[in-house]
Amino acid sequence: MTVHIGAEQGQIAETVLMPGDPYRAEWAAKTFLDDAVCINKVRGMLGFTGTWRGNRVTIHGSGMGMPSLSIYANELIRDYGAKTLIRIGSCGGMQDAVKIRDVIIAMTATTLSTPSRGILRELNFAPCADYSLLEAAVNAAKSRETPYHVGGIYSSDVFYDERPDLNEQMVRHGTLGVEMEAAELYLVAARHKVRALAVLTVSDHLLTGEALPSEDRERSFGDMVEIALEAAFPQS
Ligand code: HPA
């Protein structure tokens, strides 16, 4: 047990998928894993361990925002030995070519700040995905119908953003989408020499104001979960 995770040693797999929403962790575990068992409930943050095509996987919520994700990623890696962490979540689209329901595979994540800022200080370290996971996710995305994009995203500290000028620069520089967790995941993973990736579904769009109808969410999020699982366990 750690401060925030009630699992016993050995109950968490080396591969962890991390949605922001604990109920989405439950849905994904019950939908995609065999023999899923709940291994954490502390503070309502649900985690489940089961198997996918015979491979052990944990699906554990990260909460919203980088400080929350940072707590869980640190404990999963340092205390439970997680070696591959894949964020699965939603994001806001930031380019015309990026449509609602599309999948974004995040190569890099730009930020104003992260919880790791205190360590990196003045260094503008570039948080980036693990290449082997990125490549495997691209291969998985290619093999299905879901349109996908690979490139940089923006990990914001705010959902209710009061800086349209910043978003304008982000759009101008080709940023594909905005979410609130990936950059810190990439930084914590780099620090501990483990692999990380974020695979995101576009749930709303900053340029068009569109949003994914709630009845469509499950199917679209399902594609993302399968891409993440196939990236973690590519078939040779
Ligand atoms: N902003 C920040 N995070 C998000 C968004 C957004 O528009 N959509 C989904 N996650």
Side-chain angles (χ1 to χ4, degrees), residues 88-148:
I88 48 173
S90 59
C91 71
M94 294 183 94
Q95 300 291 325
D96 287 323
V98 171
K99 310 288 185 202
I100 298 283
R101 296 185 193 81
D102 287 4
V103 164
I104 292 178
I105 301 168
M107 194 151 62
T108 61
T110 298
T111 67
L112 285 181
S113 179
T114 71
S116 296
R117 189 70 172 183
I119 300 168
L120 298 167
R121 301 192 189 190
E122 69 273 38
L123 194 63
N124 284 315
F125 188 88
C128 76
D130 174 83
Y131 182 73
S132 62
L133 280 178
L134 183 95
E135 188 182 33
V138 171
N139 289 338
K142 270 184 191 158
S143 69
R144 53 183 62 234
E145 309 242 305
T146 321
Y148 70 95

Side-chain angles (χ1 to χ4, degrees), residues 87 89-94 154-161 167 177-181 200-206 217:
R87 165 162 159 68
S90 59
C91 71
M94 294 183 94
Y154 172 42
S155 295
S156 175
D157 274 334
V158 289
F159 187 86
Y160 298 103
D161 203 334
N167 283 339
V178 53
E179 51 84 78
M180 298 181 66
E181 292 83 14
L200 307 163
T201 301
V202 179
S203 62
D204 54 87
H205 209 291
L206 270 64
R217 282 181 180 243

Side-chain angles (χ1 to χ4, degrees), residues 11-236:
Q11 284 192 311
I12 290 183
E14 284 194 357
T15 297
V16 185
L17 267 51
M18 299 186 78
D21 178 354
Y23 292 116
R24 199 169 293 154
E26 182 173 39
W27 170 79
K30 290 185 173 165
T31 306
F32 294 99
L33 302 189
D34 293 322
D35 308 318
V37 173
C38 183
I39 48 82
N40 188 31
K41 283 184 177 173
V42 175
R43 291 177 185 241
M45 187 51 72
L46 304 176
F48 297 82
T49 297
T51 60
W52 183 78
R53 295 185 182 163
N55 302 289
R56 250 180 122 229
V57 187
T58 294
I59 305 184
H60 194 289
S62 70
M64 288 180 281
M66 291 187 268
S68 177
L69 174 130
S70 194
I71 290 170
Y72 294 109
N74 267 286
E75 292 182 12
L76 288 165
I77 296 167
R78 293 172 10 166
D79 299 300
Y80 291 99
K83 299 272 184 267
T84 296
L85 295 93
I86 305 181
R87 165 162 159 68
I88 48 173
S90 59
C91 71
M94 294 183 94
Q95 300 291 325
D96 287 323
V98 171
K99 310 288 185 202
I100 298 283
R101 296 185 193 81
D102 287 4
V103 164
I104 292 178
I105 301 168
M107 194 151 62
T108 61
T110 298
T111 67
L112 285 181
S113 179
T114 71
S116 296
R117 189 70 172 183
I119 300 168
L120 298 167
R121 301 192 189 190
E122 69 273 38
L123 194 63
N124 284 315
F125 188 88
C128 76
D130 174 83
Y131 182 73
S132 62
L133 280 178
L134 183 95
E135 188 182 33
V138 171
N139 289 338
K142 270 184 191 158
S143 69
R144 53 183 62 234
E145 309 242 305
T146 321
Y148 70 95
H149 310 264
V150 185
I153 60 162
Y154 172 42
S155 295
S156 175
D157 274 334
V158 289
F159 187 86
Y160 298 103
D161 203 334
E162 305 252 352
R163 288 287 303 275
D165 59 314
L166 268 183
N167 283 339
E168 218 171 275
Q169 290 306 330
M170 227 81 68
V171 171
R172 183 178 169 215
H173 287 82
T175 304
L176 298 174
V178 53
E179 51 84 78
M180 298 181 66
E181 292 83 14
E184 176 68 1
L185 176 64
Y186 289 2
L187 291 170
V188 173
R191 198 143 68 236
H192 295 288
K193 313 238 171 343
V194 301
R195 306 192 306 160
L197 178 69
V199 182
L200 307 163
T201 301
V202 179
S203 62
D204 54 87
H205 209 291
L206 270 64
L207 304 181
T208 64
E210 281 171 284
L212 192 61
S214 53
E215 61 271 20
D216 284 16
R217 282 181 180 243
E218 259 180 31
R219 191 184 51 74
S220 309
F221 289 144
D223 282 343
M224 165 182 75
V225 179
E226 285 181 332
I227 290 171
L229 288 165
E230 285 174 30
F233 306 106
Q235 281 175 313
S236 45

